Amino acid sequence: MNLSEKICRAIRDSGYGIDADTGEKFAEYLRFLSEYNRSVNLTAITGEAEIIDKHFVDSLAAAGHIPEGAAVLDMGSGAGFPGIPLKLIRPDIRLTALDSSGKKCAFLRALKARLGIEADVAESRAEDFGRGVGRESFDTVVSRAVAELRVLAELGLPLVRTGGKVIAYKGRPAPEEIAAGDRAASAVGGAAGKAIRVPHGNEERTLIIYLKTSVTPTGYPRRYPRIIGDPI
């Protein structure tokens, strides 16, 4: 079984549809990521099976929660997760990958050319993007960034239009983290998060989805040091 077939099997076994051409794009993604990772630290996960499971399959958890044709922002995209796998499975979405690292943005630009997909790459800190050109510009924000829910809510909700949503990928967040996320969401125009458990082998995976219910007040998001040091 070649690499493309292994990826197709893993994705199908997890309940997602995939054709052979898309499987080959995932295989090329894996090869390019492994090659690039030798010179630029993009991921600590380097094994073929682990990349397929912990990056590719895991990234697809939000695929069924994104509206048809949505403008999607991958906040803190890094090596392209979850945005690029979502784009490969859901070519209808209009993807923007956001990251503050120039080296990671260079990888993302090279990757989209390598895979032949349409996507925008924005090099910016999320709080700057949310106070500027990205403000209330997207239907959905997705993020697998390692940050507390209150941080993801304050950074993500200013970026979506009223009626849009932020989808945060988490393991099993503690009740205290969920409560803090709900307070932050309320302050920036969102409703309390909805938790959706997603089966993923022996690991915990929960999507926390915040619906944008009103325009974000002026002043949010705050600068990152304040977000971290002064919880809402």
Side-chain angles (χ1 to χ4, degrees):
M1 184 184 300
N2 64 31
L3 180 57
S4 175
E5 290 168 340
K6 289 179 184 178
I7 293 169
C8 285
R9 173 175 287 185
I11 288 175
R12 287 176 185 142
D13 286 349
S14 298
Y16 306 102
I18 184 172
D19 58 30
D21 288 344
T22 304
E24 182 51 43
K25 287 186 177 181
F26 271 102
E28 185 61 20
Y29 188 175
L30 193 155
R31 288 189 287 263
F32 188 54
L33 173 63
S34 298
E35 172 191 326
Y36 212 97
N37 203 54
R38 296 188 190 107
S39 56
V40 177
N41 184 23
L42 296 168
T43 175
I45 296 172
T46 56
E48 181 181 284
E50 281 191 306
I51 289 173
I52 293 170
D53 179 58
K54 295 184 178 181
H55 281 328
F56 291 169
V57 174
D58 184 58
S59 289
L60 301 179
H65 301 281
I66 299 173
E68 185 76 18
V72 176
L73 179 75
D74 181 7
M75 185 173 70
S77 188
F81 307 118
I84 300 296
L86 286 168
K87 176 66 176 179
L88 290 173
I89 290 292
R90 291 281 310 275
D92 60 285
I93 67 174
R94 292 168 287 133
L95 177 67
T96 299
L98 174 69
D99 203 277
S100 61
S101 165
K103 289 182 179 180
K104 291 176 181 177
C105 287
F107 166 76
L108 291 167
R109 293 186 186 101
L111 176 65
K112 70 170 188 169
R114 186 87 163 239
L115 300 182
I117 59 174
E118 291 186 7
D120 293 323
V121 177
E123 182 181 337
S124 176
R125 297 185 63 86
E127 66 269 31
D128 295 331
F129 201 60
R131 296 171 72 94
V133 296
R135 190 175 186 84
E136 299 187 332
S137 297
F138 299 92
D139 302 304
T140 304
V141 167
V142 294
S143 185
R144 283 206 324 163
V146 181
E148 296 177 55
L149 285 170
R150 66 178 183 84
V151 175
L152 297 176
E154 182 169 347
L155 291 175
L157 280 162
L159 291 160
V160 296
R161 304 178 181 101
T162 301
K165 65 182 76 169
V166 171
I167 305 176
Y169 288 59
K170 300 291 288 185
R172 185 166 64 177
E176 296 80 7
E177 182 180 358
I178 292 172
D182 288 348
R183 287 194 296 272
S186 177
V188 297
K194 178 181 179 182
I196 299 176
R197 299 288 291 278
V198 180
H200 188 76
N202 296 321
E203 298 186 10
E204 295 282 350
R205 170 55 75 208
T206 307
L207 298 178
I208 306 295
I209 302 179
Y210 297 104
L211 180 66
K212 179 77 169 279
T213 55
S214 61
V215 173
T216 298
T218 302
Y220 293 105
R222 299 170 295 164
R223 296 299 178 190
Y224 196 74
R226 281 205 66 196
I227 295 174
I228 294 300
D230 184 18
I232 296 173

